[in-house]
Amino acid sequence: MTEPARPIRVLLADDEELIRHGVSLILRHAGDIEVVAEAANGRQAVELAAVHRPDVALVDIRMPVCDGLAAIAPLLALDPAPRVVMLTTFGDEDNVLRALREGAAGFLLKDEGPQELISAVRAAAAGDAVLSPGVTGAVISRMLRAGGPPDDGGAPADERIARLTGREREVLVMLGEGLSNQDIAARLGIGVGTVKTHVGAVLEKTGSTSRVQAAVLAHRTGLAS
């Protein structure tokens, strides 16, 4: 008899008690998610993560004592390290970009609906990137103004796109739309594992170090709008 999979362990860090209570309440109603700890600042988040070993850490960007940005590196230094997803608001795109550079798995707007929040936790636990559609466009615009992704050793953007197969190009377009692996799989009618393989190939062939950089490339080359 197959044993049931253990719940996804989540640590929630936000200095607003009301936000923590609301998010925790939503997640506790998902049968496969367990909120194992709540923190009011980044320092406490790191301390609790070392004890409770969460799979996913939902971390507010702006907190006293130690903000979410400063907490990313020590969280990722833990063994095992949680997947760190930043909780943000509109207009905080600069900090979101910093978080992604620090290694955060993605970002989620605080006012996302319950199902979007639950889906984001599941996606992060599965190794997927979490890119809230509500802020992805603004983040990509900031990156475009900053010059976009690396130049891959001088290779023009069109040359990098030419390295892709037809299917990989389709996946790149959907990355430009901010879709998750699950969403891409559903749209293309293929398995999530196959999508992960395609995403890995897209990142390698385009010289992108993250899904967001690949999304920027899709926009720069006109594949996505």
Side-chain angles (χ1 to χ4, degrees), residues 88-139:
T88 185
T89 58
F90 282 114
D92 209 16
E93 291 83 14
D94 287 336
N95 281 330
V96 166
L97 288 174
R98 287 181 56 195
L100 293 173
R101 286 193 291 266
E102 289 288 333
F107 46 86
L108 189 67
L109 284 173
K110 286 187 177 184
D111 59 358
E112 293 282 10
Q115 191 53 55
E116 286 76 12
L117 177 61
I118 292 170
S119 296
V121 169
R122 290 171 177 160
D128 201 356
V130 177
L131 308 176
S132 175
V135 73
T136 297
V139 170

Side-chain angles (χ1 to χ4, degrees), residues 13-37:
D14 195 300
D15 61 314
E16 296 185 45
E17 185 176 359
L18 188 60
I19 295 292
R20 293 201 311 272
H21 177 75
V23 172
S24 179
L25 190 62
I26 290 170
L27 296 180
R28 290 180 196 278
H29 275 82
D32 58 340
I33 298 175
E34 177 185 6
V35 178
V36 296

